[in-house]
């Protein structure tokens, strides 16, 4: 069977249409004429022409707490037993168990390890969960043929941690965005002279610098905080508004999560991208998040955390500032300096966006399948 006729199944404990990494992989598979099925928790099948040939098998999750993982496991396992596939890709740690349990014919399994799961920030004070993730990952890696990670630092740590698995083929696939592919969206962010629109996009979670951005908008009326995304933390953010009676609430705009291929058109309507994360957990300290490269792809300067990987990108390409302070005064200064020198950054962003895009990862990803 020729590679281009092979059937690839993507499994992910999340919504396909809002996940940049899965969208990019799917576009590569479509380009190379693979048959593609997605199994995950997409709440709605969005009619995007680029994905018209993908078969979507949606899993409805209505169990709460830790039980939702069990429900996902049971439903995905059942679906996979109904599908005849050649290669299966686990989009996260949580998809490994149902994939391997259903893989009775020993088809090739690729694991996209997009986080250091045993060092997640959310588990920094939960040693039992950290240990569980390590043991879970260690158990199932014996059935995997290839592992993809998002940075060389992750590769080094994981190869050392699981050095006893000699059979694994390790690969770095960066979170670069797609180039020149986007869906039309209306202009929804007002552009006012002297007002700087700073965007945060992604899942709303603790430790992502969102409250810091909100406080900054409250501190300076010439800075608008544009927050695009959803998550359990959104409820806490609303409570934060009420609790602190923020006088400049109008300076903060929440926009519901947006399909990945539409997101770039919203990003382009802003002036600066916000990519600040806490230092809780090794996974955060090694982070090279989608949003960093998405801001660069949209050609807007960035304010990023000064962790090794993010700082290296920002300083190498001179596309913004890598900062460590959460001070309103310091962040205001950095934002205004970037805005005043935006022509310098635009020139660098134009160069960087031509290199830091998915076209540079496409061939590497397809070679993993082969």
């Amino acid at each position: 069977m020729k590679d281009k006729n092979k059937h690839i199944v993507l499994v992910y404990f999340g919504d396909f249409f809002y996940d940049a990494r899965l969208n990019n992989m799917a576009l590569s598979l479509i380009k190379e004429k693979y048959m593609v099925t997605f199994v995950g928790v997409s709440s709605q099948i969005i009619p995007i022409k680029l994905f018209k040939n993908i078969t979507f098998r949606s899993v409805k999750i209505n169990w709460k707490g830790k039980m939702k993982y069990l429900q996902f496991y049971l439903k995905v396992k059942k679906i996979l037993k109904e599908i005849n596939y050649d290669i299966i890709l686990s989009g996260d740690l949580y998809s490994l168990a149902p994939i391997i349990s259903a893989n009775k014919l020993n088809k090739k399994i690729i694991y996209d390890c997009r986080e250091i799961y045993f060092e997640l920030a959310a588990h920094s004070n939960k040693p039992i969960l950290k240990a569980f993730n390590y043991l879970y990952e260690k158990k199932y890696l014996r059935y995997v043929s290839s592992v993809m990670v998002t940075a060389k630092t992750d590769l080094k740590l994981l190869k050392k941690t699981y050095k006893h698995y000699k059979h694994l083929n390790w690969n770095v696939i960066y979170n670069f965005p797609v180039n020149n592919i986007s869906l039309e969206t209306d202009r929804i962010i007002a552009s006012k002279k002297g007002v700087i629109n700073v965007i945060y996009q992604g899942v709303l979670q603790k430790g992502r610098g969102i409250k810091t951005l909100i406080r900054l908008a409250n501190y300076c009326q010439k800075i608008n905080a544009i927050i695009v995304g959803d998550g359990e933390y959104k409820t806490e953010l609303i409570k934060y508004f009420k609790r602190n009676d923020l006088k400049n609430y109008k300076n903060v705009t929440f926009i519901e999560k947006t399909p990945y291929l539409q997101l770039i058109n919203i990003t382009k309507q802003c002036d600066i991208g916000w990519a600040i994360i806490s230092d809780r957990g090794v996974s955060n300290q090694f982070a090279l998040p989608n949003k960093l490269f998405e801001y660069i792809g949209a050609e807007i300067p960035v304010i990023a955390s000064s962790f090794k990987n993010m700082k290296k990108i920002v300083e190498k390409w001179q596309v913004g500032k890598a900062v460590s302070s959460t001070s309103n005064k310091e962040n205001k200064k950095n934002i205004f300096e970037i805005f005043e020198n935006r022509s310098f950054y635009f020139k660098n962003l134009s160069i960087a966006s031509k290199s830091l895009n998915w076209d540079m990862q496409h061939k590497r990803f397809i070679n993993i399948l082969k």
Side-chain angles (χ1 to χ4, degrees):
M1 181 185 290
K2 293 182 179 180
D3 257 40
K4 68 178 182 179
N5 297 322
K6 285 187 175 179
H7 185 187
I8 314 295
V9 177
L10 309 175
V11 183
Y12 176 59
F13 189 44
D15 196 321
F16 172 88
F17 295 98
Y18 300 90
D19 188 79
R21 199 161 169 85
L22 278 178
N23 273 226
N24 295 340
M25 292 177 191
L27 289 168
S28 284
L29 295 172
I30 291 167
K31 183 177 179 180
E32 297 295 329
K33 310 297 183 185
Y34 285 91
M35 295 168 56
V36 183
T37 296
F38 172 75
V39 181
V41 293
S42 297
S43 56
Q44 178 186 6
I45 308 303
I46 301 173
I48 297 175
K49 286 185 178 181
L50 287 169
F51 300 138
K52 66 181 180 180
N53 292 326
I54 296 180
T55 300
F56 290 95
R57 300 290 300 270
S58 294
V59 175
K60 186 177 181 181
I61 303 295
N62 47 33
W63 295 0
K64 303 297 182 182
K66 299 294 186 293
M67 293 300 291
K68 65 185 177 184
Y69 298 105
L70 176 59
Q71 188 177 32
F72 179 75
Y73 168 85
L74 295 171
K75 290 191 173 185
V76 170
K77 181 180 176 181
K78 182 179 179 182
I79 290 172
L80 292 179
K81 287 182 176 180
E82 302 168 359
I83 302 173
N84 182 22
Y85 55 86
D86 299 289
I87 300 172
I88 192 160
L89 189 149
S90 176
D92 55 13
L93 178 70
Y94 317 108
S95 302
L96 279 176
I99 286 173
I100 290 162
S101 181
N103 189 36
K104 300 303 182 184
L105 297 178
N106 295 320
K107 298 294 180 71
K108 181 177 181 178
I109 298 173
I110 298 170
Y111 172 38
D112 186 23
C113 185
R114 55 174 72 190
E115 302 269 7
I116 307 295
Y117 285 102
F118 54 82
E119 286 288 356
L120 292 173
H123 298 167
S124 59
N125 296 317
K126 300 174 181 178
I128 294 175
L129 285 176
K130 289 174 68 172
F132 176 82
N133 279 1
Y134 165 69
L135 293 172
Y136 174 102
E137 191 169 55
K138 180 183 178 183
K139 174 183 177 180
Y140 288 113
L141 275 177
R142 73 183 67 178
Y143 305 102
V144 170
S145 60
S146 295
V147 181
M148 301 187 300
V149 297
T150 62
K152 290 180 180 178
T153 48
D154 295 44
L155 183 73
K156 183 178 179 181
L157 175 61
L158 290 169
K159 285 184 75 172
K160 182 179 179 181
T161 301
Y162 300 118
K163 60 185 178 183
H164 54 289
Y165 286 142
K166 306 297 183 183
H167 69 286
L168 290 173
N169 174 30
W170 295 90
N171 308 269
V172 178
I173 300 292
Y174 291 105
N175 280 320
F176 295 167
V178 291
N179 192 28
N180 298 322
I181 298 178
S182 61
L183 305 179
E184 291 299 321
T185 53
D186 296 329
R187 182 162 192 96
I188 58 177
I189 299 171
S191 179
K192 296 180 181 179
K193 187 175 181 180
V195 176
I196 305 171
N197 289 318
V198 182
I199 185 171
Y200 168 90
Q201 60 191 48
V203 180
L204 305 188
Q205 292 179 332
K206 285 186 177 181
R208 299 294 178 95
I210 305 171
K211 279 188 179 179
T212 302
L213 178 57
I214 292 170
R215 286 195 293 267
L216 181 61
N218 186 53
Y219 174 76
C220 178
Q221 293 189 15
K222 291 187 176 181
I223 294 175
N224 283 344
I226 313 297
I227 300 167
V228 184
D230 210 343
E232 295 178 0
Y233 191 48
K234 191 169 186 176
T235 302
E236 168 62 25
L237 292 172
I238 292 171
K239 289 180 180 178
Y240 175 75
F241 278 129
K242 293 178 179 178
R243 188 166 61 247
N244 291 278
D245 190 27
L246 298 181
K247 59 184 179 182
N248 293 327
Y249 184 90
K250 63 184 179 181
N251 281 29
V252 179
T253 301
F254 281 95
I255 298 173
E256 292 297 319
K257 66 178 183 178
T258 303
Y260 170 61
L261 294 183
Q262 291 180 331
L263 184 59
I264 190 170
N265 289 321
I266 295 176
T267 312
K268 285 180 176 179
Q269 296 173 31
C270 298
D271 301 301
I272 293 174
W274 187 259
I276 299 295
I277 56 178
S278 75
D279 62 356
R280 293 171 60 216
V282 174
S283 192
N284 272 11
Q285 293 167 21
F286 284 180
L288 267 177
N290 292 319
K291 63 176 66 64
L292 173 64
F293 298 112
E294 287 163 7
Y295 298 148
I296 294 171
E299 298 189 14
I300 64 170
V302 300
I303 295 283
S305 294
S306 60
F307 301 137
K308 179 180 177 180
N309 289 337
M310 296 174 75
K311 184 177 181 179
K312 183 177 179 180
I313 293 293
V314 172
E315 293 186 349
K316 175 182 177 180
W317 296 94
Q318 296 185 45
V319 291
K321 289 181 179 289
V323 303
S324 55
S325 174
T326 58
S327 157
N328 284 330
K329 184 177 180 180
E330 286 297 313
N331 284 323
K332 176 187 173 183
K333 178 184 175 183
N334 287 324
I335 285 172
F336 274 81
E337 283 182 0
I338 289 175
F339 191 70
E340 289 167 5
N341 295 285
R342 55 193 180 277
S343 59
F344 165 78
Y345 291 108
F346 289 157
K347 180 180 177 181
N348 297 334
L349 285 158
S350 178
I351 296 169
S353 64
K354 291 179 175 63
S355 294
L356 305 179
N357 66 70
W358 187 255
D359 289 347
M360 303 296 107
Q361 302 296 289
H362 168 83
K363 186 175 180 180
R364 186 178 297 176
F365 171 60
I366 294 301
N367 282 340
I368 296 169
L369 302 178
K370 294 179 178 180

